[in-house]
Amino acid sequence: FIEGHRITDEKTMEIVEMVLSAKINKKIVSQIQKNNGKAVGICGKDGGLTKATKIKLHIKKELMDIGLVGEITEVQPEVILSLQKENYIPVISPISETKDGQTLNINADSFAGKIASSLKSEKLILLTDTPGVLINKKLISILNKKETKAYIVQDSIYGGMITKVLCCINALENGVKNTHIIDVREYHYLLLEIFTDQGS
């Protein structure tokens, strides 16, 4: 991984697509349905949902090719809206393709942010296996865009968390009302974040 992006060659891309779109996606669908929800598993390639372009990362002032890794350039959310109209929960794996049909691996947080923006969602909630945004080992409960960008410049926010906070900023700038980064390891944190004033 480099800054939250998985370096992906052609062989890895085949495995990523198989694991995310088949194994993990269907497991989540199954769990939702066991709990009386109606779910459908899709990926960004299905129904023309997304289009993407291949990216290169700026690492220490140099461009680095990280393989079949992309960023979403276009979202056509009709397939999601159609599923929601029939009360289905869409479970979407972060695989997309270019306009000429090349499959690309997309960072899951960035992918979710683009989908949320296209739907003008009330909330974008990113789940992580860390406590959240830590500044000098202290958990920060609320950040605005200016503070976040300053912390990135100071290297106080780094690694995979950069992708998450930039995703949140981008979503807020494109129609999402609130964004949250929540520790998935703690019981009931998602419920607390949604249903209480203080949040998790």
Side-chain angles (χ1 to χ4, degrees), residues 6 21 32 34 46-47 60 64 69 71 76 87 98 119 136 154 166 183 185-186 188:
R6 183 191 299 274
S21 294
I32 291 170
K34 280 181 185 176
D46 294 327
K60 296 179 181 177
M64 178 178 285
V69 177
E71 63 183 359
Q76 299 292 335
N87 295 316
T98 62
L119 297 168
N136 299 321
Q154 298 163 14
L166 290 179
D183 189 346
R185 301 168 301 174
E186 299 291 339
H188 308 310

Side-chain angles (χ1 to χ4, degrees), residues 132-140 143 151-152 154 156-157:
V133 179
L134 299 173
I135 305 296
N136 299 321
K137 298 183 180 180
K138 182 182 176 185
L139 181 64
I140 304 298
L143 280 171
Y151 282 134
I152 292 171
Q154 298 163 14
S156 296
I157 296 175

Side-chain angles (χ1 to χ4, degrees), residues 34-81:
K34 280 181 185 176
N35 288 279
N36 301 315
K38 289 169 54 180
V40 173
I42 61 173
C43 76
K45 294 163 59 172
D46 294 327
L49 176 58
T50 64
K51 292 296 178 193
T53 56
K54 195 170 176 289
I55 61 170
K56 293 183 178 180
L57 293 183
H58 286 276
I59 307 295
K60 296 179 181 177
K61 298 184 180 179
E62 291 186 18
L63 275 178
M64 178 178 285
D65 188 339
I66 56 174
L68 299 175
V69 177
E71 63 183 359
I72 299 299
T73 55
E74 184 181 330
V75 180
Q76 299 292 335
E78 287 79 8
V79 64
I80 297 174
L81 297 172

Side-chain angles (χ1 to χ4, degrees), residues 157-170:
I157 296 175
Y158 53 89
M161 191 55 72
I162 291 177
T163 307
K164 290 186 189 306
V165 296
L166 290 179
C167 165
C168 289
I169 289 172
N170 185 268

